[in-house]
Amino acid sequence: MSEFSGNIAVIDVGSNSVKMRIGRLSGERKLLIIRDETEVTKLGRFVLSDIQGKNFKRENFVKTIDAIKKMVSQARHASEIILVGTMALRAADNSEEFLNAVREETGYNIRILSGQEEAEYSWLGAIHDISKSEDDNIVMFDSGGGSTEFVFGRGSKIEKVTSVSIGAVNITEKFFANQEIIKRRNITQALEYIAEKLHEYGIQNLCESPEPVKIIGVGGGVVAMAGVKSANEIFMPSNLHGMRITQRDVRRQIELYSSLTLRERQNIIGLPANRADVILGSACIVHEILKNFARSRHECFCTVSINGLRNGILIERFLQR
């Protein structure tokens, strides 16, 4: 364990944001989080061309590299710095150009995670301090900018992993491109599209367990929704860990976001302003996920975890080696 005794930094390059978490192991062998940083760069907003394919917008390309450089500098005293990439880097045709640019600017390589790996790390991070029983029947979803990962399992054991190509960024671009006027039909079409995608990937069939299911929600979107529910003027993710988001909460938030302009959404108490443009897309995804799990007249809910992919990688590095 000695080679992992210092601080480790994990930088996650996602479709909507770049996130860094620095952690270390305490004397009691508990994971301690030293620093959390997030910068929204919208890397996953692609330029589509019949000739060049699906490429990163140059402005977002540069902004994301600048964010990575800043975080690498902030983590320079860590004993290890790990860079990982998810859906945006899996999907873009110019990913190699981006990877080379990061390597040249920082000296670090980005490891592109598969959907399976992304889901497994998110699971490891999310259940670490929420699931206490090996008998728990658990479904975890991690909804990001470009995809949503689902992990089905019992206790700490994973039974099934599925990655669905719906995320806050691509749903926003497809249905809510006009941020000033959101019509009822836009909401209806978005919900129907998400439902179709979940059905296409067999999520509904995987939800048909007769046993009670503990649902854990991970990702910036669901954490931001918890922030809106809490209505605290200062957004503190650590205070939102373990909060419940019900179907009723989600419906209310969809109504709220769709009734406001982008500028008005940026002023919602509890909502980080840099998520105001994609929060409606996030809420629509969560709505359809919870709808899949509804088994009775009782409100279905998910428990919010602020610990996902980055936490999972830290746990693997510190506690599983």
Side-chain angles (χ1 to χ4, degrees), residues 125-230:
I127 71 166
H128 183 62
D129 62 353
I130 287 184
S131 176
K132 302 299 183 183
S133 170
E134 285 298 313
D135 293 326
D136 284 343
N137 189 23
I138 302 172
V139 178
M140 185 219 74
F141 69 89
D142 184 351
S143 190
S147 65
T148 299
E149 278 62 53
F150 290 86
V151 185
F152 298 78
R154 186 174 296 279
S156 59
K157 183 180 178 182
I158 294 175
E159 296 177 347
K160 176 73 175 179
V161 175
T162 302
S163 180
V164 182
S165 57
I166 49 173
V169 172
N170 52 42
I171 292 299
T172 299
E173 290 184 331
K174 191 174 183 68
F175 298 101
F176 310 125
N178 185 343
Q179 291 280 329
E180 303 308 310
I181 303 175
I182 296 173
K183 299 181 179 180
R184 175 61 57 182
R185 70 169 180 268
N186 298 130
I187 302 294
T188 301
Q189 290 169 350
L191 295 175
E192 289 176 350
Y193 176 82
I194 294 165
E196 289 172 3
K197 280 291 183 182
L198 294 176
H199 181 74
E200 177 186 334
Y201 283 83
I203 299 302
Q204 187 172 17
N205 295 333
L206 294 169
C207 296
E208 292 178 348
S209 168
E211 301 176 60
V213 176
K214 177 179 287 188
I215 307 169
I216 301 175
V218 180
V222 73
V223 173
M225 291 173 67
V228 173
K229 180 177 180 177
S230 72

Side-chain angles (χ1 to χ4, degrees), residues 8-21:
I8 294 178
V10 179
I11 299 173
D12 169 18
V13 183
S15 298
N16 192 57
S17 60
V18 180
K19 300 177 182 179
M20 178 178 70
R21 175 167 285 194

Side-chain angles (χ1 to χ4, degrees), residues 44 83 87 98 178 247 265 300:
L83 276 67
M87 185 62 182
F98 182 86
N178 185 343
Q247 288 178 281
R265 290 198 299 278
C300 185

Side-chain angles (χ1 to χ4, degrees), residues 13-15 43-49 52-56 85-96 98-99 112-115 118 145-147 163-166 169-170 173:
V13 183
S15 298
L43 183 65
R45 298 205 168 177
F46 300 113
V47 175
L48 302 178
S49 166
Q52 295 179 320
K54 182 187 291 186
N55 290 315
F56 299 126
T86 54
M87 185 62 182
L89 289 171
R90 293 197 295 266
D93 290 313
N94 63 337
S95 284
E96 195 64 34
F98 182 86
L99 296 175
I112 301 179
L113 302 177
S114 67
E118 184 179 353
S147 65
S163 180
V164 182
S165 57
I166 49 173
V169 172
N170 52 42
E173 290 184 331

Side-chain angles (χ1 to χ4, degrees), residues 297-312:
R297 289 175 294 178
H298 298 291
E299 281 284 291
C300 185
F301 67 88
C302 67
T303 300
V304 175
S305 173
I306 65 168
N307 299 323
L309 188 154
R310 289 165 296 144
N311 214 59

